[in-house]
Amino acid sequence: MADVDYEKAYIREKQLRKQAEQLLEDRSRELYLSNKQLQEVNDALHDQQRVMVQTEKMASLGVLAAGVAHEINNPLGYIYSNFSSLVEGLQDIQRFLNQADQLIVGGQSVEQIQEAWREGLMLFDIAYLLSDYQNLAIETIEGLERVKQIVADLKSFTRQDDGTRTAVDINDCLRAAINILNNQTKYHAQLSVDYGELPEISGYFGKLNQVFVNLIANANQAVEENGQIEIVSRVNNGFIEVVIRDDGHGIDEEHMKYLFTPFFTTKPVGQGTGLGLSISHNAVQEHGGDIRVESTLGVGTTFTVRIPLDKA
Ligand SMILES: Nc1ncnc2c1ncn2[C@@H]1O[C@H](COP(=O)(O)OP(=O)(O)OP(=O)(O)O)[C@@H](O)[C@H]1O
Ligand SMILES: [Mg+2]
């Protein structure tokens, strides 16, 4: 009797255990599957974020491109006109030399050749041409340098940091950002920049460049015609600080906590995507730093980017 009971109990327990194991296995599988799903969603989100950051970059590049085209067009215009003058002048010099050559080949006397030479110098205004050439050449080289600089700045803006840190001079980074925005700011705001002496840090040039482009673009959008934008770089308390101060419309107290949230914007549709500050925040955080804001409505706004100095 007791044996039968034991056997029943044994079988029952075995069944229960099997059920429990089955249940556990089912749950583990479910858990595994939902974990896998989560992982996939997470990866997709990361991909999306990467695309969004790149898209924002391209969108701001689109806005910049129009201005940059104008910036390049200006030096190109005078390089072109200088070159046309150079070619015209060169033709005159060639005519003058041909004339002189013919006199020599024609066996004229030295006096005649001298006379014709002096006349030719006057006629073709050779002295003026030569002195003009020097000015034209200097101006042309300056124009070419300017174009070269614009292209370099554009390159630095679109530069995809390849995941390795390099030595970054924050002042260079700031300078490139200011140059790239020059066309937007120069007719709208008064920019003053005070570059402090900074040590290099190890970081991502492209990302920091984008931070400064975003902050300066915001300041420029916040100020009235002829508004003031003051930019200062300095070392303070173990940090490199870049201060961007504007005397624009300021930020509403209740907007302060949303500033760095993706897609928060007070700008009209089509003007702002609301990604500038959130992207900048992430980029600065990647350098172990932070961005601080102070603002008074109707008075102005100060953004301070702080990046810790390398602990050498
Ligand atoms: N210097 C500033 N002065 C006043 N308001 C500012 C300033 N900088 C940012 N803001 C406010 O913060 C909001 C978010 O800025 P953010 O740069 O993230 O987006 P956005 O400028 O609106 O759009 P995007 O930068 O994507 O073109 C702005 O819409 C604006 O209301
Ligand atoms: Mg912005």
Side-chain angles (χ1 to χ4, degrees), residues 275-299:
L275 282 175
L277 284 180
S278 99
I279 288 172
S280 303
H281 174 256
N282 290 345
V284 173
Q285 219 172 29
E286 245 182 287
H287 291 81
D290 58 17
I291 304 181
R292 305 182 167 190
V293 199
E294 284 165 59
S295 187
T296 313
L297 263 185
V299 177

mmCIF file of all heavy atoms in Angstrom, residues 275-299:
data_model
loop_
_atom_site.group_PDB
_atom_site.id
_atom_site.type_symbol
_atom_site.label_atom_id
_atom_site.label_comp_id
_atom_site.label_asym_id
_atom_site.label_seq_id
_atom_site.Cartn_x
_atom_site.Cartn_y
_atom_site.Cartn_z
ATOM 1 N N LEU A 275 17.462 69.980 -33.170
ATOM 2 C CA LEU A 275 18.462 68.952 -32.865
ATOM 3 C C LEU A 275 19.818 69.546 -32.493
ATOM 4 O O LEU A 275 20.653 68.857 -31.923
ATOM 5 C CB LEU A 275 18.634 68.026 -34.069
ATOM 6 C CG LEU A 275 17.530 66.984 -34.241
ATOM 7 C CD1 LEU A 275 17.723 66.198 -35.527
ATOM 8 C CD2 LEU A 275 17.524 66.031 -33.057
ATOM 9 N N GLY A 276 20.011 70.827 -32.818
ATOM 10 C CA GLY A 276 21.332 71.437 -32.615
ATOM 11 C C GLY A 276 21.889 71.240 -31.217
ATOM 12 O O GLY A 276 23.009 70.755 -31.050
ATOM 13 N N LEU A 277 21.098 71.605 -30.226
ATOM 14 C CA LEU A 277 21.609 71.554 -28.846
ATOM 15 C C LEU A 277 21.732 70.123 -28.337
ATOM 16 O O LEU A 277 22.652 69.820 -27.576
ATOM 17 C CB LEU A 277 20.719 72.378 -27.917
ATOM 18 C CG LEU A 277 20.907 73.899 -28.014
ATOM 19 C CD1 LEU A 277 19.974 74.616 -27.048
ATOM 20 C CD2 LEU A 277 22.353 74.297 -27.738
ATOM 21 N N SER A 278 20.814 69.250 -28.742
ATOM 22 C CA SER A 278 20.906 67.884 -28.221
ATOM 23 C C SER A 278 22.144 67.189 -28.793
ATOM 24 O O SER A 278 22.876 66.494 -28.087
ATOM 25 C CB SER A 278 19.616 67.104 -28.490
ATOM 26 O OG SER A 278 19.721 66.297 -29.604
ATOM 27 N N ILE A 279 22.417 67.431 -30.063
ATOM 28 C CA ILE A 279 23.630 66.872 -30.669
ATOM 29 C C ILE A 279 24.879 67.467 -30.022
ATOM 30 O O ILE A 279 25.834 66.760 -29.691
ATOM 31 C CB ILE A 279 23.629 67.135 -32.194
ATOM 32 C CG1 ILE A 279 22.578 66.242 -32.853
ATOM 33 C CG2 ILE A 279 25.003 66.901 -32.795
ATOM 34 C CD1 ILE A 279 22.347 66.546 -34.312
ATOM 35 N N SER A 280 24.832 68.783 -29.781
ATOM 36 C CA SER A 280 25.992 69.441 -29.159
ATOM 37 C C SER A 280 26.242 68.901 -27.756
ATOM 38 O O SER A 280 27.383 68.646 -27.363
ATOM 39 C CB SER A 280 25.759 70.948 -29.079
ATOM 40 O OG SER A 280 25.497 71.462 -30.357
ATOM 41 N N HIS A 281 25.149 68.715 -27.032
ATOM 42 C CA HIS A 281 25.257 68.192 -25.671
ATOM 43 C C HIS A 281 25.955 66.825 -25.676
ATOM 44 O O HIS A 281 26.880 66.579 -24.905
ATOM 45 C CB HIS A 281 23.853 68.093 -25.064
ATOM 46 C CG HIS A 281 23.830 67.443 -23.724
ATOM 47 N ND1 HIS A 281 23.395 66.151 -23.544
ATOM 48 C CD2 HIS A 281 24.213 67.889 -22.508
ATOM 49 C CE1 HIS A 281 23.507 65.846 -22.268
ATOM 50 N NE2 HIS A 281 23.991 66.872 -21.618
ATOM 51 N N ASN A 282 25.509 65.933 -26.578
ATOM 52 C CA ASN A 282 26.122 64.602 -26.659
ATOM 53 C C ASN A 282 27.602 64.688 -27.012
ATOM 54 O O ASN A 282 28.428 63.989 -26.434
ATOM 55 C CB ASN A 282 25.415 63.747 -27.718
ATOM 56 C CG ASN A 282 24.017 63.368 -27.281
ATOM 57 O OD1 ASN A 282 23.670 63.495 -26.107
ATOM 58 N ND2 ASN A 282 23.190 62.939 -28.219
ATOM 59 N N ALA A 283 27.914 65.572 -27.954
ATOM 60 C CA ALA A 283 29.305 65.679 -28.401
ATOM 61 C C ALA A 283 30.204 66.170 -27.259
ATOM 62 O O ALA A 283 31.299 65.656 -27.059
ATOM 63 C CB ALA A 283 29.398 66.627 -29.587
ATOM 64 N N VAL A 284 29.706 67.147 -26.506
ATOM 65 C CA VAL A 284 30.523 67.688 -25.409
ATOM 66 C C VAL A 284 30.659 66.644 -24.295
ATOM 67 O O VAL A 284 31.720 66.477 -23.704
ATOM 68 C CB VAL A 284 29.923 69.005 -24.873
ATOM 69 C CG1 VAL A 284 30.656 69.471 -23.636
ATOM 70 C CG2 VAL A 284 29.994 70.080 -25.951
ATOM 71 N N GLN A 285 29.569 65.917 -24.065
ATOM 72 C CA GLN A 285 29.602 64.881 -23.039
ATOM 73 C C GLN A 285 30.637 63.808 -23.389
ATOM 74 O O GLN A 285 31.323 63.289 -22.512
ATOM 75 C CB GLN A 285 28.232 64.242 -22.918
ATOM 76 C CG GLN A 285 27.882 63.943 -21.482
ATOM 77 C CD GLN A 285 26.436 63.495 -21.348
ATOM 78 O OE1 GLN A 285 25.848 62.904 -22.261
ATOM 79 N NE2 GLN A 285 25.862 63.786 -20.212
ATOM 80 N N GLU A 286 30.742 63.501 -24.690
ATOM 81 C CA GLU A 286 31.729 62.524 -25.136
ATOM 82 C C GLU A 286 33.147 62.961 -24.793
ATOM 83 O O GLU A 286 34.053 62.142 -24.729
ATOM 84 C CB GLU A 286 31.624 62.361 -26.656
ATOM 85 C CG GLU A 286 31.173 60.986 -27.083
ATOM 86 C CD GLU A 286 31.151 60.904 -28.591
ATOM 87 O OE1 GLU A 286 30.238 61.512 -29.189
ATOM 88 O OE2 GLU A 286 32.044 60.275 -29.149
ATOM 89 N N HIS A 287 33.329 64.272 -24.600
ATOM 90 C CA HIS A 287 34.652 64.798 -24.231
ATOM 91 C C HIS A 287 34.752 64.984 -22.717
ATOM 92 O O HIS A 287 35.661 65.649 -22.235
ATOM 93 C CB HIS A 287 34.921 66.121 -24.944
ATOM 94 C CG HIS A 287 35.118 65.959 -26.420
ATOM 95 N ND1 HIS A 287 34.080 65.838 -27.310
ATOM 96 C CD2 HIS A 287 36.254 65.876 -27.164
ATOM 97 C CE1 HIS A 287 34.566 65.687 -28.538
ATOM 98 N NE2 HIS A 287 35.867 65.711 -28.475
ATOM 99 N N GLY A 288 33.772 64.439 -22.003
ATOM 100 C CA GLY A 288 33.789 64.537 -20.543
ATOM 101 C C GLY A 288 33.384 65.911 -20.033
ATOM 102 O O GLY A 288 33.591 66.238 -18.869
ATOM 103 N N GLY A 289 32.808 66.739 -20.891
ATOM 104 C CA GLY A 289 32.472 68.104 -20.479
ATOM 105 C C GLY A 289 30.982 68.348 -20.383
ATOM 106 O O GLY A 289 30.187 67.416 -20.372
ATOM 107 N N ASP A 290 30.621 69.608 -20.277
ATOM 108 C CA ASP A 290 29.201 69.953 -20.223
ATOM 109 C C ASP A 290 28.947 71.324 -20.869
ATOM 110 O O ASP A 290 29.877 72.044 -21.209
ATOM 111 C CB ASP A 290 28.668 69.931 -18.779
ATOM 112 C CG ASP A 290 29.428 70.886 -17.870
ATOM 113 O OD1 ASP A 290 30.124 71.787 -18.380
ATOM 114 O OD2 ASP A 290 29.322 70.755 -16.635
ATOM 115 N N ILE A 291 27.669 71.628 -21.045
ATOM 116 C CA ILE A 291 27.294 72.941 -21.598
ATOM 117 C C ILE A 291 26.384 73.616 -20.584
ATOM 118 O O ILE A 291 25.428 73.003 -20.110
ATOM 119 C CB ILE A 291 26.523 72.801 -22.933
ATOM 120 C CG1 ILE A 291 27.333 72.001 -23.952
ATOM 121 C CG2 ILE A 291 26.195 74.176 -23.506
ATOM 122 C CD1 ILE A 291 26.650 71.842 -25.304
ATOM 123 N N ARG A 292 26.696 74.838 -20.201
ATOM 124 C CA ARG A 292 25.857 75.576 -19.254
ATOM 125 C C ARG A 292 25.179 76.744 -19.951
ATOM 126 O O ARG A 292 25.730 77.316 -20.884
ATOM 127 C CB ARG A 292 26.718 76.081 -18.101
ATOM 128 C CG ARG A 292 27.464 74.916 -17.478
ATOM 129 C CD ARG A 292 28.295 75.308 -16.310
ATOM 130 N NE ARG A 292 28.688 74.067 -15.634
ATOM 131 C CZ ARG A 292 29.275 74.011 -14.466
ATOM 132 N NH1 ARG A 292 29.544 75.118 -13.810
ATOM 133 N NH2 ARG A 292 29.588 72.864 -13.932
ATOM 134 N N VAL A 293 24.020 77.061 -19.470
ATOM 135 C CA VAL A 293 23.253 78.150 -20.087
ATOM 136 C C VAL A 293 22.804 79.135 -19.026
ATOM 137 O O VAL A 293 22.357 78.743 -17.946
ATOM 138 C CB VAL A 293 21.934 77.632 -20.715
ATOM 139 C CG1 VAL A 293 21.404 78.630 -21.725
ATOM 140 C CG2 VAL A 293 22.093 76.261 -21.295
ATOM 141 N N GLU A 294 22.920 80.396 -19.332
ATOM 142 C CA GLU A 294 22.291 81.428 -18.522
ATOM 143 C C GLU A 294 21.576 82.345 -19.482
ATOM 144 O O GLU A 294 22.107 82.657 -20.550
ATOM 145 C CB GLU A 294 23.334 82.251 -17.778
ATOM 146 C CG GLU A 294 23.948 81.567 -16.578
ATOM 147 C CD GLU A 294 25.196 82.314 -16.153
ATOM 148 O OE1 GLU A 294 25.097 83.522 -15.832
ATOM 149 O OE2 GLU A 294 26.257 81.695 -16.179
ATOM 150 N N SER A 295 20.362 82.753 -19.120
ATOM 151 C CA SER A 295 19.636 83.589 -20.060
ATOM 152 C C SER A 295 18.657 84.490 -19.326
ATOM 153 O O SER A 295 18.099 84.124 -18.293
ATOM 154 C CB SER A 295 18.868 82.692 -21.033
ATOM 155 O OG SER A 295 18.282 83.482 -22.042
ATOM 156 N N THR A 296 18.503 85.676 -19.835
ATOM 157 C CA THR A 296 17.491 86.601 -19.321
ATOM 158 C C THR A 296 16.678 87.089 -20.502
ATOM 159 O O THR A 296 17.250 87.582 -21.479
ATOM 160 C CB THR A 296 18.158 87.810 -18.629
ATOM 161 O OG1 THR A 296 19.169 87.322 -17.750
ATOM 162 C CG2 THR A 296 17.139 88.614 -17.836
ATOM 163 N N LEU A 297 15.360 86.911 -20.386
ATOM 164 C CA LEU A 297 14.480 87.323 -21.481
ATOM 165 C C LEU A 297 14.712 88.784 -21.834
ATOM 166 O O LEU A 297 14.777 89.631 -20.947
ATOM 167 C CB LEU A 297 13.019 87.127 -21.075
ATOM 168 C CG LEU A 297 12.342 85.835 -21.540
ATOM 169 C CD1 LEU A 297 10.872 85.853 -21.169
ATOM 170 C CD2 LEU A 297 12.530 85.604 -23.022
ATOM 171 N N GLY A 298 14.858 89.034 -23.115
ATOM 172 C CA GLY A 298 15.009 90.413 -23.565
ATOM 173 C C GLY A 298 16.402 90.979 -23.359
ATOM 174 O O GLY A 298 16.681 92.097 -23.788
ATOM 175 N N VAL A 299 17.284 90.246 -22.688
ATOM 176 C CA VAL A 299 18.634 90.767 -22.417
ATOM 177 C C VAL A 299 19.690 89.974 -23.189
ATOM 178 O O VAL A 299 20.564 90.542 -23.846
ATOM 179 C CB VAL A 299 18.951 90.753 -20.909
ATOM 180 C CG1 VAL A 299 20.384 91.217 -20.671
ATOM 181 C CG2 VAL A 299 17.969 91.619 -20.146
#
